[in-house]
Each structure stands twice: as structure tokens, then as C-alpha cells.
Amino acid sequence: MKVIKIEKEKWDKGVEKLNGPLRLFGPVKDGQFHNFKELDKNQQPDLNFLNTRLSPKSTVFPQSEVMFEYSLDESREDHHIMKEIDQDYSPRAVIGIRPCDAKSFLLVKRNFDTDEYKDPYWIRAFEATTFIGLACNNPCSTCFCTSADCGPFHEEGLDLLLVDAGDYYLLKVITSKGENLLKVADWETEADADTSGETSGNIIDTLKKEAEAKITSSVVTDRLKEQISLELYQAPFWEDAAFSCINCGTCTYVCPTCWCFDIQDETHGISGVRIRNWDSCMSPLFTLHGSGHNPRGTKLHRVRQRFMHKLKYYVDKYDDGIQCVGCGRCIRLCPVNIDIRKICEIMNNYEPAACACPA
Amino acid sequence: MLGYIDKIKEISERVLKEGTVEMVIGFQKGTLPMMNEPCFVKCSGDVQRLVWDSNCGINLANYLTDRKEKIAVIAKGCDSRNIVTHIIENKIKRDQLFIIGVPCNGMIDKSKIASMFEKEIIEVVEDQNNIIVKGEGFEETLKKGDVLQENCAICIHRNPVIYDELVSDMVEEQRDVDRYEDVRRIEEMEPDKKYGFFDDLLSACIRCYACRDACPLCYCPTCFVDESRPQWVGKGQDPVDIRTFHFLRAYHCAGRCTDCGACERACPMEIKVRTFTKKLEKDCLEAYGWEAGMSLDERPPLDTFRPDDPEDFIK
Amino acid sequence: MLFKNLMEHMGIEPDRVHFSWISSAESTKFVDVVNEVTAAVKALGPNKNFIIKAA
Ligand code: SF4
Ligand code: SF4
Ligand code: SF4
Ligand code: SF4
Ligand code: SF4
């Protein structure tokens, strides 16, 4: 395991050196909160945040992405032909991504990059990106990553992990993709044991344990797999659980692991583009058929879909945990306080027979 | 206001037991500080779930749309005005409702309070006039009056305008409130400056439409912004499309908006979306002397025609 | 009126938005109004705001 020690002044300089050879994305404060933005030349990522308001999924999967363009001008030879547009897939790095959000890309990859189907836009952007994570020394009260197969120092999905050790940073090298950046940034001093003889590995371990101990929130998922899909689907608790939902889709837009999109053509005069935009299973139009029939016609159907997808269908299909990394955004931002931890518990502990709800 | 809950529970239990209604719509305690969750209660034994405090800013009229049951609903001043609007617009019938009126002292602004502290807020409790905010290593007492939602701070109809039973005596209404200082400030700007102002206002919008979905007025089966045949508005992140959504949403609320603030409260990006609706509210008041949802007997301005309308904007 | 005010409020110049009610029988009124509108809009110059740049 290679760990680099970076003095805090050398951090900014290194970022500056990376900006140019790579397109950089990092957290930027705008108003009351941080979000990931492409950094201008000389702009530094602001690492003083708990987590960003929106997830960094847009760095690879933009909310609105032009796929094709076309012309309706019949005097042109290529009229009415969809042409792929040029996108910038030059190397880029996302700096300061939290470990939960980094892991979410691996969950999303299962959808966009399969043996059978490959989403070229997502894959090209993903492959062009190096992820430099920022370990969470102070998780929020709504973070439950440790019970969602993740954690404040989790490394899956990251190429480098940056740890704030007080006076200096430690940068743990996780992949060769990460290692390649070190030279460019001139971060090359390997950390040796500090004055008290503590190795950098131990320092990281101690901070990690401290951070994990600060996580107070959790989900129970142990019985989700054994639950019978249809019984959960038909369970009476959904009426209560879905009541307050206003179907705004905020939960799915802010979620790093939600991957659904919609495709629309937009024509202006005689030229146009085909765009894909984030979509959400919370929207009634998501499943509206051309015939006018809507198989998910009520709010209850839609709320159930979101939670069944994340906490049951995904669990069954991939047999590798839930489709959630525990970032807590949907809990913090739902306008009516629908809480995935609570719903997960109800689903997990559901006993079809025992549920004798007094009418 | 904290004392209301006992009375709310008592009334709820009674109307459920007596069979006056099939369900009570109110709030239950949330899982986060400064959040309560709208809920329904169907059996009288469950009324203990109900809570009432300064975190009940969501407008419960939104949960009545097109329901068929007999319902008891807890209504603050603004909710009651939206209930009136719902009845006028045939979204629910008066005789389906048992309105539990709550004379209101205002709801607190969770984003504002969160922004006052560097660290995360872990717990918030309140007494009559104070909000006590606690987090890791700090505890601070704020005056409730200083941290009200913006709409509540300028509210002049805190008492329900329609109800079957009140949970307390009426509260004193605020007087001499300047409701439109912010609108006038924009009115005074040059066109380009106005345009830029709204660009900045909307720059963080992610088009989740929580503002629309939290509003009781927005009940169309398919919103114009979602329609794709024809596609009235582009669906991407183009600022013009975003603005078109916002100003038309507001326009669809003209003469109907009660300034309940549910839209603004719901926005995950803290966008002050009332900036649009307040202009319309001001114009409705100035041009037609109209305030929405004050009475069941008057038709709203945009669905009436008066032969003496000056119409001086039409050539 | 509310609509026109709202357009102006968000930065569209007052003279850019006009309303008129013209019957199919009022041909000369139509001509006059169109002339007035074009003159007013020409005086403002090309619109800078509220345009979707062709993709
Ligand atoms: S769960 Fe909350 S955030 Fe999600 S759609 Fe429903 S109301 Fe909106
Ligand atoms: S479901 Fe909620 S907590 Fe889980 S990853 Fe998505 S936003 Fe985060
Ligand atoms: S707008 Fe008025 S009635 Fe509504 S919550 Fe605020 S103070 Fe209460
Ligand atoms: S537009 Fe906003 S303030 Fe007006 S009624 Fe709807 S939710 Fe309330
Ligand atoms: S709730 Fe906020 S972010 Fe969502 S559409 Fe409305 S203004 Fe935009």
C-alpha cells in the first residue's frame, strides 16, 4: 500500500498542476451549500463541507445531455439523419468525492455497462475519470453508509483516497489510474513513520475507526433477500408509507444511485437535438403508455416502486446489497420527510401473517 | 401553539369515534430536526401519533385533492384559504370536510436556521416563544419571531377563515405589515437588471418540481411542463426553459395563491420561488382588491368578467 | 394584464408585449395595430433575453 504525504500548501499547488492536463470537477460553495462543478483554471475545490447538496453523479451522467443532432433542411444531404455529436471525453478527475458517492458509481455501472448492453456516453465519461476521494472525518447524523456496505473511508470506486490528518493530508493510492496522477501533481513524497513512529497506515486506520464510531444511523437489511417480492408488493403498509409523498422526485434526483432517464427531441426551426434528461419513477409520466394507460397510475404504485427497486428488486437481481450507499440525501431533502431508513425497516421486518392491522 | 395538540387529539378522537369522518389528516413527528411528516389517522386509538409544533409548514390542503372520503383536516390560516379555493374549484366538497382550525403563530424556516450554524443541527426543541437549537458542542436559543418562514413573518391571515371547530381562541393578526417590499424592489429595476435577477434566482434549479408538487393549487393530471405532445417547454436544463416553467407555474396560480410558502419550503435547492407568485398576488390585490381563499361566496378574479373592467392593456 | 405585468416583472420590456382584440371585420384596425406593434418593437431593437440559443 502506497501512501503519499502532502503538506497542505502543496495540495493547492498540485491541484493547480492537474488543472489543464485534466478537466477537474470539485465541490464549490454556491449560496448555502456545495455542489460539484467543473473548476475554472486556478479555481480550487472547497473541501470544507459535510457532503454536497446534489450527488456528483452529474460529473459522469449529466442531468441533461445532448446525444444526437439532426437537420430538417431538405436541401442538405444529411437531412433527417441523427448524428452523434462530439463530446469532450478527455481525461478528467473528480476531486473531493465522498466514499459513499464514489461507490455509487459501481452500483450505477451495473446498469450502464453490462455484457449485453453498453451505454457509450456513460462508459466513456466514467472511463475518462479519476476519482480522488475525501474521507469523512465527521459524518452527518443522516449518514448510514456503514450499514449500506460502504463507509466513511471506503475505497471501492476510488482511485485515490485523501485523508485529512490535521496538519497535512495523506493520500492513499488505490489504483494505477490514481497513481498516474501523482507525478503530474508532483505529490511524490511517500509518507514514512511520523515522529512518534506511527505509520501512515495506522494513522489512517485510527481516523477511520473514529469516523465509523461517529455514525449513529443505520438500516437493517438482513431479511430483505428472504422476503417474498409479491408479499412485500401487496403489503398494506404502503398506503401509510406513501401518504405524505408529493411525487416530486427530489429523492431520485439527489440520489447518487438513481440512474433513470428520459429521451426527448427538441427542434428549433430546422435543426434539432436529441437529449436525454434525468427522469424519476416518482413522476406519473414515467410509465405512461402511448395508449393513455398508466400501469403505475397512483402515488402508492410509484413510492412502492422506488423502494422496491432499491431495497428488493436490486437485492434479488445482483445479490450484492441494496441499491443505496447510505449518503442520506433523500432523507435530508425530501420535503415531507419520507425516510428510507424507516421504510427499509418496515420492509425488512415485514411479517405477512402477523400484520393484523386493526381496521 | 404547543398546547394545541391535546385539543387536536381530543377533537380527532371524537370525530373518528362518532363516525363523523373516516380519516384525520394531520402531522406526525418527523425523523429529522425541524421536520414533521403529513399523515392520516383512521382509528381513534392512533390519534396519539399526531403532533403540532412550528414544523408543520406543509400545506395539508394538498392532501385533499379529489379524495372521496369524509375527512377531518387540520388547517392553519393559509391551509384554510387553500381549502376554500379547493372547494370553489370543485376539488373537494365542503360537506366532506370537518375542518379543525388552528390559529397560527407562524412556522419556522428550517433552511434559515440551518444556515445560521456552522455545524450540523442535531436537535431542535421549542417553547412558547423560543427555538432551542442543539448540535455537537453547542446549544443556542433563538427567538421564534426571528426565524419564521418568510411568508409567515408577513402573514396577515393567521386565523382560519373556515372551520368546524377551533383548537384555541383566535390569535391576534399582524397589522401594518409591508407585504410587498421585495416585489417593489424588483419593479424598480431596469428590464435587463430584472432579467438578470431572475437568472440568478433560478440558477440552481434542478427541475424536480417539488415547488409545484407541494402546492395544493397544482393538481392538473398532466402539467404543461411535462406534456410532450405538444412539447410546450423544453425538458432540459436550458435557463429559458427553466424560467418558462417557473413563470407559467406562477401564472397558473394567479389569484389563487395564498402565500402559504409550501412551495418555497419544499425546494431542495432553497430557491425563493415565491418571488414569482408574490408579484401576481400584489397585482391581484391592487387591480381587483382580491385576496385568495377568503370566502366561499366570491368567484376568483380570473374566472369572472365584469363589464366595467377597464382593460386598458388591450389596444 | 396579470400576464403582461409578470412578463415585464421578469425583465421583458413593456413595449415588447402587446395585447389586442380585433374582429375579422376590423381590417383597418388590424393594420394599424400591427404597424404600431412593429414600430414599438423595432424601437427596442432585437430581443436579447428569453431566447433559446439554437442547439
Ligand atoms: S419521497 Fe419525498 S422527495 Fe421523494 S418524491 Fe416523495 S415527497 Fe418527493
Ligand atoms: S437512496 Fe437516499 S440514502 Fe440511499 S444513496 Fe440514494 S439518496 Fe443516498
Ligand atoms: S402563512 Fe400564516 S397561517 Fe400559514 S403558516 Fe404562516 S403564519 Fe401560519
Ligand atoms: S404557489 Fe406556493 S405559496 Fe402559493 S399556494 Fe402554492 S405552495 Fe402556497
Ligand atoms: S423545487 Fe426548487 S429545484 Fe425543484 S423545480 Fe422548484 S425551484 Fe426548481
Side-chain angles (χ1 to χ4, degrees), chain B residues 188-295:
Chain B
E188 278 154 23
M189 296 177 189
E190 288 301 310
D192 275 347
K193 196 125 180 271
K194 286 179 177 165
Y195 200 84
F197 174 88
F198 283 97
D199 262 353
D200 290 345
L201 181 82
L202 298 176
S203 63
C205 177
I206 55 169
R207 295 188 79 170
C208 63
Y209 307 138
C211 47
R212 174 196 70 190
D213 297 326
C215 175
L217 304 173
C218 282
Y219 51 65
C220 293
T222 305
C223 177
F224 75 95
V225 74
D226 287 329
E227 189 80 69
S228 54
R229 278 181 310 176
Q231 193 189 55
W232 304 110
V233 197
K235 316 292 185 211
Q237 284 299 96
D238 190 298
V240 172
D241 290 327
I242 294 180
R243 179 187 296 239
T244 305
F245 157 63
H246 279 281
F247 99 94
L248 284 178
R249 176 193 83 89
Y251 187 63
H252 290 176
C253 301
R256 305 161 70 217
C257 170
T258 60
D259 204 33
C260 72
C263 46
E264 210 159 276
R265 182 185 173 91
C267 175
M269 308 306 281
E270 297 172 33
I271 295 172
K272 305 241 176 261
V273 288
R274 285 167 50 252
T275 315
F276 289 93
T277 45
K278 277 190 78 189
K279 164 68 177 163
L280 289 156
E281 191 195 82
K282 174 171 178 277
D283 286 355
C284 278
L285 185 67
E286 286 172 358
Y288 314 117
W290 171 258
E291 287 180 293
M294 298 303 291
S295 143

Side-chain angles (χ1 to χ4, degrees), chain B residues 123-178:
Chain B
E123 196 192 347
V124 174
V125 287
E126 59 182 288
D127 60 26
Q128 201 53 34
N129 300 310
N130 298 302
I131 306 293
I132 301 134
V133 182
K134 298 178 197 170
E136 196 197 308
F138 71 92
E139 177 172 330
E140 212 169 307
T141 303
L142 308 170
K143 275 220 224 43
K144 179 170 163 182
D146 296 340
V147 290
L148 288 179
Q149 286 185 184
E150 278 178 19
N151 64 307
C152 296
I154 55 166
C155 175
I156 50 172
H157 297 294
R158 293 181 152 185
N159 292 302
V161 298
I162 181 176
Y163 53 84
D164 293 287
E165 193 166 337
L166 283 177
V167 301
S168 77
D169 293 337
M170 295 280 195
V171 293
E172 198 179 326
E173 293 292 0
Q174 308 194 96
R175 268 169 237 292
D176 301 323
V177 180
D178 180 5

Side-chain angles (χ1 to χ4, degrees), chain A residues 219-228 232 237-238 308 311-312 315 322 340-352:
Chain A
V219 285
V220 273
T221 56
D222 56 320
R223 293 190 51 223
L224 288 172
K225 180 105 183 127
E226 67 195 58
Q227 295 282 13
I228 316 248
L232 273 185
F237 64 76
W238 292 113
M308 287 292 277
L311 304 173
K312 181 60 185 162
V315 173
I322 53 180
I340 189 169
R341 294 169 298 183
K342 211 166 101 182
I343 310 256
C344 187
E345 187 179 329
I346 299 175
M347 287 173 68
N348 191 70
N349 301 344
Y350 181 60
E351 305 272 354

